């Protein structure tokens, strides 16, 4: 459980000290957008289909909620702030590795248990998620607000 709180603290500090490329409006749009899709994915994959479990019990605890609601949004904001628009594949690969290593760390620590879901299945999911996030941000959020 301390790993989850340490991860959240690390991500918050990283967000505070990182270079800011997103506007406040873009942050306020992307944070709940990513959090919503992460929560829906967790409900579908973790609760309804029961492919993974978080935490020491089968029930959803407060730390599970914090991990699912905030960590993906913080990671997405870090990704979008660091990413250069001319190198989306490079940054997607870097953040896929980072996300995968976080999942491995949570798994080895015993906080995340993979049931029917093999840990390697996450790699293509991360790639698609980061590419979709980049596309959505560039084409809908950033350029969508610059309409004539």
């Amino acid at each position: 459980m301390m790993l989850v709180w340490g991860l959240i603290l690390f991500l918050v500090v990283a967000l505070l000290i990182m270079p800011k490329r997103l506007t406040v409006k873009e942050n306020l749009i992307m944070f709940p957008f990513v959090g919503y899709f992460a929560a829906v994915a967790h409900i579908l994959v973790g609760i309804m289909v029961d492919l993974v479990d978080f935490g020491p019990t089968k029930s959803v605890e407060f730390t599970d909620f914090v991990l699912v609601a905030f960590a993906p949004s913080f990671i997405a904001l870090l990704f979008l702030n660091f990413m250069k628009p001319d190198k989306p594949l490079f940054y997607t690969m870097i953040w896929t590795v980072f996300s995968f290593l976080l999942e491995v760390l949570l798994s080895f620590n015993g906080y995340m248990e993979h049931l029917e879901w093999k840990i390697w299945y996450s790699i293509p999911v991360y790639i698609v998620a980061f590419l979709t996030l980049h596309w959505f941000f560039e084409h809908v959020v950033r350029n969508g607000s610059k309409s004539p």
Side-chain angles (χ1 to χ4, degrees):
M1 194 168 342
M2 290 305 294
L3 178 64
V4 173
W5 294 110
L7 172 63
I8 296 297
L9 180 64
F10 170 76
L11 293 172
V12 168
V13 170
L15 279 169
L16 292 174
I17 64 173
M18 61 176 271
K20 309 293 189 280
R21 292 194 177 118
L22 273 65
T23 65
V24 172
K25 179 182 174 183
E26 291 167 344
N27 280 306
L28 291 174
I29 291 170
M30 294 309 298
F31 189 86
F33 176 79
V34 172
Y36 171 77
F37 280 99
V40 168
H42 175 67
I43 289 168
L44 291 175
V45 173
I47 297 172
M48 294 177 73
V49 184
D50 200 27
L51 297 178
V52 294
D53 283 334
F54 288 107
T57 65
K58 285 286 232 187
S59 64
V60 178
E61 297 177 359
F62 183 68
T63 52
D64 305 346
F65 169 76
V66 170
L67 181 69
V68 171
F70 295 110
S73 295
F74 290 153
I75 291 169
L77 292 180
L78 286 167
F79 167 74
L80 291 171
N81 273 293
F82 278 112
M83 191 185 67
K84 295 181 179 156
D86 59 335
K87 298 181 180 180
L89 287 177
F90 176 71
Y91 284 93
T92 295
M93 291 305 138
I94 288 174
W95 286 91
T96 295
V97 169
F98 174 72
S99 299
F100 180 73
L101 291 176
L102 284 177
E103 185 174 343
V104 167
L105 181 64
L106 288 169
S107 183
F108 283 157
N109 183 266
Y111 188 81
M112 184 176 191
E113 181 183 355
H114 294 83
L115 304 171
E116 297 294 320
W117 184 268
K118 305 296 181 216
I119 197 165
W120 304 106
Y121 297 172
S122 298
I123 293 173
V125 172
Y126 291 135
I127 292 170
V128 169
F130 283 119
L131 288 174
T132 304
L133 180 65
H134 167 69
W135 180 89
F136 178 81
F137 178 74
E138 289 296 327
H139 291 89
V140 176
V141 176
R142 184 156 277 172
N143 290 335
S145 63
K146 296 178 184 174
S147 58

